[in-house]
Amino acid sequence: MKTALITGITGQDGSYLAELLLEKGYEVHGIVRRASSFNTDRLNHIYKDPLVNNTNLYLHYGDLADAVQMVKLLYELQPDEIYNLGAQSHVRVSYDIPEYTGDVTGVGAIRILEAIREAGLVDKVRYYQASSSEMYGKVQEVPQVETTPFWPRSPYACAKVYAHWLTVNYRESYKLHANSGILFNHESPRRGETFVTRKITRAATRIKLGLQTKLILGNLDSKRDWGYAKEYVQAMWLMLQQEMPDDYVIATNETHTVREFLEETFSYLDLDWEEFVGFDKKYERPAEVDLLIGNPEKAKKKLGWEPKTTFKELVALMVDEDLKIAHQEKAVEEANLC
């Protein structure tokens, strides 16, 4: 039985990756930050699923800002694979808390990489770094590939570039099996509600049921390459199964504007988005990333990976799930009125 350690296991990608690894027979360990309330909602179903051997899932308190705890965990667990998905991952928020974003998203990676060396795992462990399409920022070529120069345009993107090059450096310096997945935007019903796609699907379904009247957004002209997160974690795993470590773009090679996402979401619910959506400049970034579109040809050729879920299917998937939540909220509201 292989052992995997996942930072950011309570997030969208972490929960899908945990499911995948458990299905493959791994013993899965995840790092969670201590909080006054439970933040494991995306993992709760695993414990309730009788088909999943949930005794193979373990959670540990820790933080990417705590190097000592990281070293202790690696000494104790001796993992075969480490997936660094943890981060302050909201781009707009990174402008408000740039120092924290740099510490956790950027320096957090060096804490793990050094912990691998300290625990004597360089020759054993395989490491995955969650890099981001935001690193391309002011894009230098279209579509973007692994060799496209980076031009980050946010504190988050700058931190990701730092973590990405550290991963390359440790691969070259210490022969660590260190890989970076340059993932373009990937969404799902588990996406955080402050991210624009989920913000749209949540609001649209609530508007449909009369629970909400307006949705306020920022720039509608930004173009993004949107895929399905559940498929993207499969690419992460595939990278760590290769004989040689490398960097891979994971994307759909298709781009859509935020406006198109709005149109598709609201039309799926038989609504006209223009009747309900307003604009507020506070939701704009100080430096915008106008266009992201990735070519995953290398991943297709070397990993045998390619996206399967279309843009329309992804929107429908998210809307259907959020409509269930909205119906539940509606039922609670009506019960409270009785």
Side-chain angles (χ1 to χ4, degrees):
M1 180 184 292
K2 285 186 177 180
T3 299
L5 176 64
I6 304 172
T7 70
I9 195 171
T10 59
Q12 170 189 251
D13 294 4
S15 64
Y16 281 124
L17 180 60
E19 284 178 348
L20 177 69
L21 296 179
L22 288 168
E23 288 169 3
K24 292 183 178 298
Y26 280 65
E27 179 178 293
V28 177
H29 296 260
I31 296 176
V32 297
R33 284 174 294 181
R34 179 71 177 90
S36 58
S37 59
F38 291 110
N39 61 347
T40 56
D41 292 353
R42 294 184 179 94
L43 298 172
N44 289 344
H45 68 285
I46 295 177
Y47 292 103
K48 298 174 184 177
D49 188 347
L51 298 179
V52 176
N53 181 6
N54 56 50
T55 57
N56 288 334
L57 175 62
Y58 303 88
L59 301 181
H60 308 265
Y61 285 126
D63 197 300
L64 286 172
D66 186 350
V68 173
Q69 174 65 1
M70 190 64 63
V71 172
K72 287 180 178 178
L73 265 179
L74 295 197
Y75 267 120
E76 176 188 346
L77 301 178
Q78 297 286 301
D80 300 288
E81 298 174 1
I82 297 174
Y83 297 85
N84 182 27
L85 312 184
Q88 189 301 101
S89 59
H90 199 289
V91 178
R92 180 62 190 84
V93 171
S94 75
Y95 285 99
D96 300 323
I97 49 173
E99 183 180 347
Y100 175 78
T101 301
D103 185 37
V104 173
T105 307
V107 181
I110 196 70
R111 294 188 180 107
I112 299 175
L113 291 165
E114 276 298 289
I116 289 172
R117 294 184 63 220
E118 177 64 28
L121 297 176
V122 170
D123 296 328
K124 174 192 177 184
V125 78
R126 297 190 171 193
Y127 175 79
Y128 173 83
Q129 170 61 32
S131 291
S132 168
S133 60
E134 287 286 334
M135 300 188 305
Y136 295 119
K138 189 175 180 180
V139 299
Q140 302 302 291
E141 64 179 338
V142 177
Q144 293 87 59
V145 294
E146 291 79 6
T147 55
T148 301
F150 300 137
W151 193 316
R153 303 202 81 196
S154 67
Y156 167 77
C158 290
K160 279 294 187 182
V161 169
Y162 176 66
H164 176 87
W165 283 117
L166 279 171
T167 303
V168 173
N169 183 255
Y170 273 63
R171 180 168 70 217
E172 295 177 348
S173 300
Y174 305 111
K175 310 308 177 188
L176 176 67
H177 197 294
N179 307 260
S180 288
I182 307 174
L183 271 58
F184 282 63
N185 292 65
H186 45 291
E187 318 299 317
S188 76
R190 299 183 193 176
R191 188 57 143 154
E193 294 181 19
T194 61
F195 291 84
V196 67
T197 51
R198 187 78 195 288
K199 189 176 180 180
I200 290 170
T201 58
R202 281 286 282 136
T205 52
R206 286 174 54 81
I207 288 169
K208 180 69 175 179
L209 297 187
L211 296 168
Q212 187 172 329
T213 58
K214 296 288 285 186
L215 167 62
I216 309 299
L217 296 172
N219 185 6
L220 303 186
D221 297 319
S222 296
K223 295 180 180 180
R224 294 292 184 270
D225 184 326
W226 277 303
Y228 183 25
K230 189 172 184 178
E231 296 172 356
Y232 282 36
V233 300
Q234 295 170 357
M236 300 177 188
W237 177 77
L238 285 168
M239 290 177 209
L240 269 56
Q241 311 318 304
Q242 305 306 303
E243 182 178 351
M244 299 299 294
D246 210 339
D247 306 321
Y248 296 89
V249 162
I250 305 299
T252 70
N253 205 19
E254 184 178 307
T255 191
H256 297 272
T257 63
V258 175
R259 182 178 281 100
E260 287 178 83
F261 199 99
L262 274 170
E263 291 171 347
E264 187 63 33
T265 299
F266 278 79
S267 64
Y268 187 78
L269 295 166
D270 296 318
L271 297 172
D272 181 357
W273 71 272
E274 294 184 283
E275 294 180 20
F276 305 101
V277 178
F279 170 80
D280 192 324
K281 190 174 179 61
K282 74 179 181 181
Y283 292 115
E284 289 192 326
R285 302 179 186 180
E288 185 57 81
V289 174
D290 297 315
L291 167 65
L292 292 175
I293 177 171
N295 184 350
E297 186 61 30
K298 180 178 176 180
K300 181 179 180 180
K301 182 179 179 180
K302 292 194 172 184
L303 304 179
W305 181 92
E306 57 185 326
K308 298 179 177 65
T309 304
T310 67
F311 175 71
K312 287 179 176 289
E313 289 170 342
L314 176 61
V315 173
L317 183 70
M318 295 178 67
V319 172
D320 286 342
E321 289 299 314
D322 276 332
L323 196 55
K324 293 177 185 177
I325 296 173
H327 276 296
Q328 293 169 357
E329 292 174 333
K330 180 77 169 180
V332 170
E333 183 179 275
E334 291 175 346
N336 289 336
L337 291 175
C338 293

